[in-house]
Structure formats: C-alpha cells, structure tokens
Amino acid sequence: MFLKGKAAIVTGSTSGIGLEVAKALAGAGASVMINGFGDAAAIEAERANLATISGAGALYDAADMSKPDQITAMAARAAAEFGSVDIIVNNAGIQHVSPIEEFPPEKFEAIMAINLAAPWYLCRAAVPGMKARNWGRIISTASAHSLVASPNKSAYVMAKHGIAGMTKTLALETATFGITVNAISPGYVWTPLVEQQIPDTMKTRNMTRDQVINDVLLHAQPTKQFVTAGQVASLALYLCGDDAAQITGANLTIDGGWTAA
C-alpha cells in the first residue's frame, strides 16, 4: 500500500483504461476521484468498489473536460475532501476520423479541448499544491499518435503531440519539487469501445473478424496483439513509485512495436 495517504484524480475513468488505472492506484492505497460519463448506478458501484479496494476515500465528479471552470472546480473539490491532490492521470479523450477538408470544426474544437486543453487546466490547478508538498505525479495518456501520424486524424495527432510537449515542459518546471511528469503512449488497447467497432468494419469492408483485427486494427502493431488496459495501468502505477522518481519528461510507449518502425 505504498500510496496510502496520497490522493489521485483520474479523468475519463468510468470505464476502460481510466478505470483500470483508478483500480491500480486504489489497490496501492490511494484515495481516488474518478470522472467521466455513464450510467449513474454503474458509476456509483465502481466508486464504492474503489473505496473498498483502497480502504481510503473514493469520489466521483461529473466535470465536463471541455469546460475549464468545471475542471478547476473538480480539482478544488478533491483537494478539499481528500486534503491534497498528489497524483493526476490525464486520461479523458475523444476521437474523430475524417480528411481535413471534411473535418467538422466543432469536432476539432472538442478534441483539442478535451484531449489537450483539459490536461493543461488540471495541471495548472494541482501543481501549486504538489510544489508545496514537494511530491507529485502527473501522468498523461498520450498515444502512439504522439510520436507518429495516421491519415484522417489531424486533430487527434495534433493534440497528442501537444501532450508530449506539455509533458516535457512541465517536467522541467517541476524537476526540483519532487514531482515527475510523464506520458504513456499506448497503441491499440483492447476495450469494449474497440470491440464494438469490429462488426461494422466487418460489414463495410467485407472482412472476417480475424481480418479486421489483424489487417485493420493491428496493422501497425508488429506483435499483432492488443495492449491491455491492465498493462497501461501497471505502467502508470510504477510511475507513481519511488523506483520511478528519476523518470520525468518521458514519453513511454506501450504499443507492440508500432513506433519502432
């Protein structure tokens, strides 16, 4: 329970990668605030489970990550109810795929707000307290697309490259305060959202399930295996420990070799 007495905010954590990260942090004793959208009863069940796992506090906040005032209020609430915010995991994100000339401006604005601006606002709110306590961990879920590009994903690639830049800059700003700032860049992660895309792709491309998985989803990953949410969570947890205290400003890939090419 090496995170006992620490408190974390994990955005986009009512399901998928974010929820697995929240469970990993809770399992190490941290109080955790989760955030995101979904069924109220299901979210409450997950919140209660996190409290049981950690033996500490667990909160849910419905802050909209496209609204800076709500992000700031969420950070203030966590600090007030937990006593501190020691760990931030910027995980909330959205995607839209389209050639730039057909890309809806409102989709571009939403992607930039949620994937890039929201982490900046949350860090801005939490860093002063971390500096005062001389300890902090900031982890952002980036993507293989923080390092390489794919067509028709201009906004997403821009935002994730921005996360990589923010990570380096904040690492330098906080280096003497016991704070580490890192990004984790997964390739394709097996989540319910990915699984739900397979039937439509099978139909539109006239492919079998295996063809969609190997020739479309895992085309760029040499291992031909999905990253799991648990693997991402394990890396995030490691970055919160003392053994990772000298890892800062890093963009750590977990992508089955995608960006090795």
Side-chain angles (χ1 to χ4, degrees), residues 60-117:
Y60 165 68
D61 196 284
D64 183 338
M65 290 296 102
S66 69
K67 308 293 185 185
D69 58 337
Q70 294 188 29
I71 295 167
T72 302
M74 177 179 69
R77 179 189 169 206
E81 297 201 30
F82 288 149
S84 65
V85 176
D86 308 287
I87 300 164
I88 288 173
V89 182
N90 295 305
N91 179 71
I94 59 173
Q95 172 67 290
H96 181 78
V97 179
S98 176
I100 192 167
E101 68 272 18
E102 299 172 11
F103 213 105
E106 64 273 17
K107 292 289 187 182
F108 172 82
E109 296 293 343
I111 288 170
M112 298 306 287
I114 293 170
N115 293 21
L116 181 57

Short mmCIF file of all heavy atoms in Angstrom, two decimals, residues 60-117:
data_model
loop_
_atom_site.label_atom_id
_atom_site.label_comp_id
_atom_site.label_asym_id
_atom_site.label_seq_id
_atom_site.Cartn_x
_atom_site.Cartn_y
_atom_site.Cartn_z
N TYR A 60 -16.61 10.60 -6.96
CA TYR A 60 -16.92 10.74 -8.38
C TYR A 60 -17.24 12.20 -8.64
O TYR A 60 -17.97 12.82 -7.88
CB TYR A 60 -18.11 9.87 -8.79
CG TYR A 60 -18.68 10.25 -10.15
CD1 TYR A 60 -17.95 10.03 -11.31
CD2 TYR A 60 -19.94 10.86 -10.25
CE1 TYR A 60 -18.46 10.41 -12.56
CE2 TYR A 60 -20.46 11.23 -11.49
CZ TYR A 60 -19.71 10.99 -12.64
OH TYR A 60 -20.21 11.36 -13.86
N ASP A 61 -16.71 12.73 -9.73
CA ASP A 61 -17.03 14.09 -10.13
C ASP A 61 -17.38 14.08 -11.62
O ASP A 61 -16.65 13.51 -12.43
CB ASP A 61 -15.86 15.03 -9.88
CG ASP A 61 -16.28 16.49 -9.92
OD1 ASP A 61 -16.50 17.01 -11.04
OD2 ASP A 61 -16.41 17.10 -8.85
N ALA A 62 -18.50 14.71 -11.96
CA ALA A 62 -19.01 14.67 -13.33
C ALA A 62 -18.52 15.84 -14.17
O ALA A 62 -19.12 16.17 -15.20
CB ALA A 62 -20.54 14.67 -13.30
N ALA A 63 -17.41 16.46 -13.79
CA ALA A 63 -16.90 17.61 -14.53
C ALA A 63 -16.77 17.30 -16.02
O ALA A 63 -16.27 16.25 -16.41
CB ALA A 63 -15.56 18.04 -13.97
N ASP A 64 -17.22 18.23 -16.83
CA ASP A 64 -17.09 18.15 -18.28
C ASP A 64 -15.69 18.63 -18.64
O ASP A 64 -15.33 19.79 -18.39
CB ASP A 64 -18.15 19.04 -18.93
CG ASP A 64 -18.15 18.98 -20.45
OD1 ASP A 64 -17.12 18.61 -21.04
OD2 ASP A 64 -19.19 19.34 -21.05
N MET A 65 -14.89 17.76 -19.25
CA MET A 65 -13.50 18.09 -19.53
C MET A 65 -13.33 19.13 -20.64
O MET A 65 -12.22 19.57 -20.91
CB MET A 65 -12.72 16.82 -19.90
CG MET A 65 -12.49 15.87 -18.75
SD MET A 65 -11.43 16.58 -17.43
CE MET A 65 -12.67 17.01 -16.22
N SER A 66 -14.41 19.55 -21.24
CA SER A 66 -14.32 20.64 -22.21
C SER A 66 -14.58 21.99 -21.57
O SER A 66 -14.52 23.02 -22.24
CB SER A 66 -15.32 20.42 -23.36
OG SER A 66 -16.66 20.57 -22.91
N LYS A 67 -14.82 22.00 -20.25
CA LYS A 67 -15.17 23.23 -19.52
C LYS A 67 -14.10 23.54 -18.47
O LYS A 67 -14.06 22.91 -17.41
CB LYS A 67 -16.52 23.07 -18.82
CG LYS A 67 -17.65 22.59 -19.72
CD LYS A 67 -18.04 23.60 -20.77
CE LYS A 67 -19.26 23.14 -21.57
NZ LYS A 67 -19.58 24.06 -22.68
N PRO A 68 -13.23 24.52 -18.72
CA PRO A 68 -12.16 24.83 -17.78
C PRO A 68 -12.64 25.13 -16.36
O PRO A 68 -11.99 24.72 -15.38
CB PRO A 68 -11.48 26.05 -18.40
CG PRO A 68 -11.71 25.89 -19.87
CD PRO A 68 -13.08 25.31 -19.97
N ASP A 69 -13.76 25.82 -16.22
CA ASP A 69 -14.23 26.14 -14.88
C ASP A 69 -14.62 24.88 -14.11
O ASP A 69 -14.40 24.79 -12.90
CB ASP A 69 -15.40 27.13 -14.93
CG ASP A 69 -16.58 26.62 -15.73
OD1 ASP A 69 -16.41 25.75 -16.61
OD2 ASP A 69 -17.71 27.12 -15.49
N GLN A 70 -15.18 23.89 -14.81
CA GLN A 70 -15.54 22.63 -14.14
C GLN A 70 -14.31 21.82 -13.77
O GLN A 70 -14.28 21.13 -12.75
CB GLN A 70 -16.49 21.82 -15.03
CG GLN A 70 -17.84 22.47 -15.24
CD GLN A 70 -18.83 21.58 -15.97
OE1 GLN A 70 -18.78 20.35 -15.88
NE2 GLN A 70 -19.75 22.19 -16.70
N ILE A 71 -13.28 21.89 -14.60
CA ILE A 71 -12.02 21.19 -14.29
C ILE A 71 -11.40 21.78 -13.03
O ILE A 71 -10.98 21.05 -12.12
CB ILE A 71 -11.05 21.30 -15.49
CG1 ILE A 71 -11.62 20.57 -16.70
CG2 ILE A 71 -9.68 20.74 -15.12
CD1 ILE A 71 -10.89 20.87 -18.00
N THR A 72 -11.35 23.09 -12.97
CA THR A 72 -10.77 23.76 -11.80
C THR A 72 -11.57 23.46 -10.54
O THR A 72 -11.00 23.22 -9.47
CB THR A 72 -10.72 25.28 -12.05
OG1 THR A 72 -9.94 25.53 -13.22
CG2 THR A 72 -10.10 26.01 -10.88
N ALA A 73 -12.89 23.45 -10.68
CA ALA A 73 -13.74 23.13 -9.52
C ALA A 73 -13.55 21.70 -9.06
O ALA A 73 -13.56 21.42 -7.85
CB ALA A 73 -15.21 23.38 -9.89
N MET A 74 -13.37 20.78 -10.00
CA MET A 74 -13.13 19.38 -9.64
C MET A 74 -11.84 19.24 -8.84
O MET A 74 -11.80 18.54 -7.81
CB MET A 74 -13.05 18.52 -10.90
CG MET A 74 -12.73 17.05 -10.64
SD MET A 74 -12.68 16.05 -12.16
CE MET A 74 -11.19 16.72 -12.92
N ALA A 75 -10.78 19.92 -9.28
CA ALA A 75 -9.51 19.86 -8.56
C ALA A 75 -9.64 20.44 -7.16
O ALA A 75 -9.10 19.90 -6.19
CB ALA A 75 -8.43 20.59 -9.35
N ALA A 76 -10.38 21.54 -7.05
CA ALA A 76 -10.58 22.17 -5.74
C ALA A 76 -11.38 21.26 -4.81
O ALA A 76 -11.07 21.15 -3.61
CB ALA A 76 -11.29 23.51 -5.91
N ARG A 77 -12.38 20.59 -5.36
CA ARG A 77 -13.18 19.68 -4.54
C ARG A 77 -12.34 18.52 -4.04
O ARG A 77 -12.40 18.14 -2.86
CB ARG A 77 -14.37 19.15 -5.36
CG ARG A 77 -15.23 18.17 -4.58
CD ARG A 77 -16.27 17.49 -5.44
NE ARG A 77 -16.90 16.38 -4.71
CZ ARG A 77 -17.44 15.33 -5.30
NH1 ARG A 77 -17.45 15.21 -6.62
NH2 ARG A 77 -17.96 14.36 -4.56
N ALA A 78 -11.53 17.94 -4.91
CA ALA A 78 -10.68 16.82 -4.50
C ALA A 78 -9.71 17.25 -3.41
O ALA A 78 -9.51 16.54 -2.41
CB ALA A 78 -9.92 16.26 -5.70
N ALA A 79 -9.12 18.42 -3.58
CA ALA A 79 -8.18 18.91 -2.57
C ALA A 79 -8.87 19.15 -1.23
O ALA A 79 -8.32 18.85 -0.17
CB ALA A 79 -7.52 20.21 -3.05
N ALA A 80 -10.10 19.66 -1.29
CA ALA A 80 -10.83 19.94 -0.06
C ALA A 80 -11.26 18.66 0.66
O ALA A 80 -11.14 18.55 1.88
CB ALA A 80 -12.05 20.80 -0.37
N GLU A 81 -11.74 17.69 -0.10
CA GLU A 81 -12.30 16.48 0.52
C GLU A 81 -11.22 15.45 0.86
O GLU A 81 -11.36 14.71 1.84
CB GLU A 81 -13.37 15.88 -0.38
CG GLU A 81 -14.56 16.81 -0.58
CD GLU A 81 -15.82 16.09 -1.02
OE1 GLU A 81 -16.01 14.91 -0.67
OE2 GLU A 81 -16.62 16.72 -1.75
N PHE A 82 -10.16 15.39 0.06
CA PHE A 82 -9.08 14.43 0.33
C PHE A 82 -7.97 15.06 1.18
O PHE A 82 -7.19 14.35 1.81
CB PHE A 82 -8.46 13.92 -0.96
CG PHE A 82 -9.33 12.98 -1.75
CD1 PHE A 82 -9.23 12.95 -3.14
CD2 PHE A 82 -10.21 12.10 -1.13
CE1 PHE A 82 -10.00 12.06 -3.89
CE2 PHE A 82 -10.98 11.22 -1.87
CZ PHE A 82 -10.88 11.20 -3.25
N GLY A 83 -7.87 16.38 1.13
CA GLY A 83 -6.79 17.05 1.82
C GLY A 83 -5.62 17.41 0.92
O GLY A 83 -4.77 18.23 1.28
N SER A 84 -5.56 16.78 -0.25
CA SER A 84 -4.49 17.06 -1.20
C SER A 84 -4.84 16.41 -2.53
O SER A 84 -5.72 15.54 -2.60
CB SER A 84 -3.14 16.52 -0.71
OG SER A 84 -3.18 15.09 -0.63
N VAL A 85 -4.15 16.83 -3.57
CA VAL A 85 -4.16 16.13 -4.85
C VAL A 85 -2.70 15.86 -5.18
O VAL A 85 -1.94 16.77 -5.52
CB VAL A 85 -4.83 16.95 -5.97
CG1 VAL A 85 -4.71 16.21 -7.31
CG2 VAL A 85 -6.30 17.22 -5.66
N ASP A 86 -2.32 14.61 -5.06
CA ASP A 86 -0.92 14.23 -5.21
C ASP A 86 -0.61 13.60 -6.57
O ASP A 86 0.53 13.63 -7.02
CB ASP A 86 -0.54 13.22 -4.12
CG ASP A 86 -0.89 13.72 -2.74
OD1 ASP A 86 -0.19 14.64 -2.26
OD2 ASP A 86 -1.86 13.21 -2.15
N ILE A 87 -1.63 13.03 -7.19
CA ILE A 87 -1.45 12.31 -8.45
C ILE A 87 -2.54 12.75 -9.41
O ILE A 87 -3.72 12.80 -9.06
CB ILE A 87 -1.55 10.78 -8.24
CG1 ILE A 87 -0.47 10.29 -7.27
CG2 ILE A 87 -1.46 10.04 -9.57
CD1 ILE A 87 -0.74 8.89 -6.71
N ILE A 88 -2.13 13.08 -10.62
CA ILE A 88 -3.08 13.37 -11.69
C ILE A 88 -2.83 12.37 -12.82
O ILE A 88 -1.69 12.18 -13.24
CB ILE A 88 -2.89 14.80 -12.24
CG1 ILE A 88 -3.38 15.83 -11.24
CG2 ILE A 88 -3.62 14.98 -13.57
CD1 ILE A 88 -3.07 17.25 -11.67
N VAL A 89 -3.89 11.78 -13.31
CA VAL A 89 -3.81 10.97 -14.52
C VAL A 89 -4.77 11.57 -15.54
O VAL A 89 -5.99 11.48 -15.39
CB VAL A 89 -4.14 9.49 -14.26
CG1 VAL A 89 -3.97 8.68 -15.55
CG2 VAL A 89 -3.24 8.91 -13.16
N ASN A 90 -4.21 12.24 -16.53
CA ASN A 90 -4.99 12.85 -17.60
C ASN A 90 -5.31 11.77 -18.64
O ASN A 90 -4.46 11.43 -19.47
CB ASN A 90 -4.19 13.97 -18.26
CG ASN A 90 -3.93 15.13 -17.33
OD1 ASN A 90 -4.86 15.70 -16.76
ND2 ASN A 90 -2.67 15.49 -17.16
N ASN A 91 -6.51 11.25 -18.58
CA ASN A 91 -6.85 10.12 -19.44
C ASN A 91 -8.03 10.39 -20.37
O ASN A 91 -8.18 9.71 -21.38
CB ASN A 91 -7.14 8.89 -18.58
CG ASN A 91 -7.53 7.69 -19.41
OD1 ASN A 91 -6.70 7.09 -20.09
ND2 ASN A 91 -8.82 7.32 -19.38
N ALA A 92 -8.86 11.36 -20.05
CA ALA A 92 -10.06 11.61 -20.86
C ALA A 92 -9.66 11.95 -22.30
O ALA A 92 -8.71 12.70 -22.53
CB ALA A 92 -10.88 12.75 -20.27
N GLY A 93 -10.40 11.40 -23.25
CA GLY A 93 -10.10 11.70 -24.64
C GLY A 93 -11.24 11.31 -25.56
O GLY A 93 -12.05 10.42 -25.22
N ILE A 94 -11.30 11.97 -26.70
CA ILE A 94 -12.27 11.64 -27.73
C ILE A 94 -11.54 11.61 -29.07
O ILE A 94 -10.41 12.08 -29.19
CB ILE A 94 -13.44 12.64 -27.79
CG1 ILE A 94 -12.93 14.07 -28.07
CG2 ILE A 94 -14.26 12.58 -26.51
CD1 ILE A 94 -14.03 15.07 -28.32
N GLN A 95 -12.21 11.05 -30.08
CA GLN A 95 -11.60 10.88 -31.39
C GLN A 95 -12.63 11.16 -32.49
O GLN A 95 -13.84 10.94 -32.29
CB GLN A 95 -11.07 9.44 -31.51
CG GLN A 95 -10.58 8.99 -32.88
CD GLN A 95 -9.32 9.72 -33.32
OE1 GLN A 95 -9.37 10.91 -33.63
NE2 GLN A 95 -8.21 9.01 -33.35
N HIS A 96 -12.17 11.63 -33.61
CA HIS A 96 -12.98 11.73 -34.82
C HIS A 96 -12.04 11.54 -36.00
O HIS A 96 -10.93 12.06 -36.00
CB HIS A 96 -13.69 13.08 -34.93
CG HIS A 96 -14.56 13.19 -36.16
ND1 HIS A 96 -15.81 12.60 -36.22
CD2 HIS A 96 -14.35 13.78 -37.36
CE1 HIS A 96 -16.33 12.84 -37.41
NE2 HIS A 96 -15.47 13.55 -38.13
N VAL A 97 -12.50 10.77 -36.98
CA VAL A 97 -11.67 10.42 -38.14
C VAL A 97 -12.30 11.00 -39.40
O VAL A 97 -13.45 10.69 -39.73
CB VAL A 97 -11.52 8.90 -38.26
CG1 VAL A 97 -10.67 8.53 -39.47
CG2 VAL A 97 -10.93 8.31 -36.99
N SER A 98 -11.54 11.85 -40.09
CA SER A 98 -12.06 12.49 -41.30
C SER A 98 -10.92 13.23 -42.00
O SER A 98 -10.03 13.77 -41.33
CB SER A 98 -13.17 13.48 -40.94
OG SER A 98 -13.63 14.16 -42.07
N PRO A 99 -10.93 13.28 -43.35
CA PRO A 99 -9.97 14.15 -44.04
C PRO A 99 -10.17 15.59 -43.59
O PRO A 99 -11.28 16.00 -43.26
CB PRO A 99 -10.34 13.97 -45.52
CG PRO A 99 -11.13 12.72 -45.59
CD PRO A 99 -11.83 12.58 -44.29
N ILE A 100 -9.10 16.36 -43.62
CA ILE A 100 -9.16 17.70 -43.04
C ILE A 100 -10.22 18.58 -43.70
O ILE A 100 -10.91 19.36 -43.04
CB ILE A 100 -7.78 18.38 -43.08
CG1 ILE A 100 -7.81 19.65 -42.22
CG2 ILE A 100 -7.34 18.67 -44.51
CD1 ILE A 100 -6.43 20.23 -41.93
N GLU A 101 -10.40 18.44 -45.02
CA GLU A 101 -11.36 19.30 -45.70
C GLU A 101 -12.81 18.95 -45.34
O GLU A 101 -13.72 19.74 -45.57
CB GLU A 101 -11.17 19.23 -47.23
CG GLU A 101 -11.51 17.90 -47.88
CD GLU A 101 -10.35 16.92 -47.90
OE1 GLU A 101 -9.38 17.11 -47.12
OE2 GLU A 101 -10.39 15.97 -48.70
N GLU A 102 -13.01 17.77 -44.76
CA GLU A 102 -14.35 17.36 -44.34
C GLU A 102 -14.50 17.35 -42.82
O GLU A 102 -15.57 17.03 -42.30
CB GLU A 102 -14.66 15.96 -44.89
CG GLU A 102 -14.63 15.87 -46.41
CD GLU A 102 -14.74 14.43 -46.92
OE1 GLU A 102 -15.04 13.54 -46.10
OE2 GLU A 102 -14.51 14.21 -48.12
N PHE A 103 -13.43 17.71 -42.11
CA PHE A 103 -13.41 17.62 -40.66
C PHE A 103 -14.30 18.72 -40.07
O PHE A 103 -14.04 19.91 -40.27
CB PHE A 103 -11.98 17.80 -40.14
CG PHE A 103 -11.66 17.01 -38.91
CD1 PHE A 103 -10.88 15.87 -38.99
CD2 PHE A 103 -12.13 17.42 -37.66
CE1 PHE A 103 -10.56 15.15 -37.85
CE2 PHE A 103 -11.82 16.70 -36.52
CZ PHE A 103 -11.04 15.56 -36.61
N PRO A 104 -15.35 18.37 -39.33
CA PRO A 104 -16.23 19.40 -38.77
C PRO A 104 -15.48 20.26 -37.74
O PRO A 104 -14.84 19.71 -36.83
CB PRO A 104 -17.33 18.58 -38.08
CG PRO A 104 -17.27 17.22 -38.70
CD PRO A 104 -15.83 17.01 -39.03
N PRO A 105 -15.52 21.56 -37.88
CA PRO A 105 -14.81 22.42 -36.93
C PRO A 105 -15.19 22.16 -35.48
O PRO A 105 -14.34 22.25 -34.59
CB PRO A 105 -15.20 23.83 -37.38
CG PRO A 105 -15.48 23.69 -38.84
CD PRO A 105 -16.11 22.34 -38.99
N GLU A 106 -16.46 21.84 -35.24
CA GLU A 106 -16.87 21.59 -33.86
C GLU A 106 -16.21 20.34 -33.30
O GLU A 106 -15.93 20.25 -32.10
CB GLU A 106 -18.39 21.50 -33.74
CG GLU A 106 -19.04 20.35 -34.50
CD GLU A 106 -19.38 20.67 -35.94
OE1 GLU A 106 -18.84 21.66 -36.50
OE2 GLU A 106 -20.19 19.92 -36.51
N LYS A 107 -15.94 19.35 -34.15
CA LYS A 107 -15.23 18.15 -33.71
C LYS A 107 -13.78 18.48 -33.39
O LYS A 107 -13.21 17.99 -32.41
CB LYS A 107 -15.30 17.06 -34.78
CG LYS A 107 -16.68 16.49 -35.02
CD LYS A 107 -17.14 15.63 -33.87
CE LYS A 107 -18.44 14.91 -34.20
NZ LYS A 107 -18.93 14.10 -33.05
N PHE A 108 -13.16 19.31 -34.24
CA PHE A 108 -11.79 19.75 -33.99
C PHE A 108 -11.70 20.46 -32.65
O PHE A 108 -10.80 20.17 -31.83
CB PHE A 108 -11.32 20.68 -35.11
CG PHE A 108 -10.00 21.32 -34.84
CD1 PHE A 108 -8.81 20.66 -35.08
CD2 PHE A 108 -9.93 22.62 -34.32
CE1 PHE A 108 -7.59 21.25 -34.81
CE2 PHE A 108 -8.71 23.22 -34.05
CZ PHE A 108 -7.54 22.53 -34.29
N GLU A 109 -12.60 21.39 -32.40
CA GLU A 109 -12.56 22.16 -31.16
C GLU A 109 -12.75 21.25 -29.94
O GLU A 109 -12.09 21.42 -28.91
CB GLU A 109 -13.63 23.25 -31.17
CG GLU A 109 -13.43 24.32 -32.23
CD GLU A 109 -12.21 25.18 -32.00
OE1 GLU A 109 -11.69 25.18 -30.87
OE2 GLU A 109 -11.78 25.87 -32.94
N ALA A 110 -13.66 20.28 -30.05
CA ALA A 110 -13.91 19.37 -28.93
C ALA A 110 -12.69 18.50 -28.64
O ALA A 110 -12.33 18.29 -27.47
CB ALA A 110 -15.13 18.50 -29.24
N ILE A 111 -12.05 18.00 -29.68
CA ILE A 111 -10.87 17.16 -29.49
C ILE A 111 -9.75 17.96 -28.84
O ILE A 111 -9.09 17.48 -27.89
CB ILE A 111 -10.41 16.55 -30.83
CG1 ILE A 111 -11.39 15.46 -31.27
CG2 ILE A 111 -8.99 15.97 -30.72
CD1 ILE A 111 -11.18 14.96 -32.68
N MET A 112 -9.52 19.17 -29.31
CA MET A 112 -8.46 19.98 -28.73
C MET A 112 -8.78 20.35 -27.28
O MET A 112 -7.89 20.38 -26.42
CB MET A 112 -8.25 21.25 -29.57
CG MET A 112 -7.81 20.98 -31.00
SD MET A 112 -6.32 19.93 -31.14
CE MET A 112 -5.07 21.10 -30.62
N ALA A 113 -10.05 20.61 -26.99
CA ALA A 113 -10.44 20.99 -25.62
C ALA A 113 -10.25 19.83 -24.65
O ALA A 113 -9.68 20.00 -23.56
CB ALA A 113 -11.89 21.46 -25.60
N ILE A 114 -10.75 18.66 -25.02
CA ILE A 114 -10.75 17.53 -24.09
C ILE A 114 -9.40 16.82 -24.04
O ILE A 114 -8.92 16.43 -22.98
CB ILE A 114 -11.88 16.55 -24.47
CG1 ILE A 114 -13.24 17.22 -24.24
CG2 ILE A 114 -11.77 15.25 -23.67
CD1 ILE A 114 -14.42 16.46 -24.79
N ASN A 115 -8.76 16.64 -25.20
CA ASN A 115 -7.52 15.87 -25.25
C ASN A 115 -6.29 16.68 -24.88
O ASN A 115 -5.29 16.09 -24.44
CB ASN A 115 -7.32 15.29 -26.66
CG ASN A 115 -8.36 14.25 -27.03
OD1 ASN A 115 -9.44 14.20 -26.46
ND2 ASN A 115 -8.05 13.43 -28.00
N LEU A 116 -6.33 17.99 -25.08
CA LEU A 116 -5.13 18.79 -24.85
C LEU A 116 -5.31 19.90 -23.81
O LEU A 116 -4.52 20.00 -22.87
CB LEU A 116 -4.66 19.41 -26.18
CG LEU A 116 -3.39 20.26 -26.13
CD1 LEU A 116 -2.21 19.46 -25.58
CD2 LEU A 116 -3.07 20.81 -27.51
N ALA A 117 -6.34 20.71 -23.97
CA ALA A 117 -6.51 21.83 -23.03
C ALA A 117 -6.87 21.34 -21.63
O ALA A 117 -6.37 21.88 -20.63
CB ALA A 117 -7.58 22.79 -23.54
#
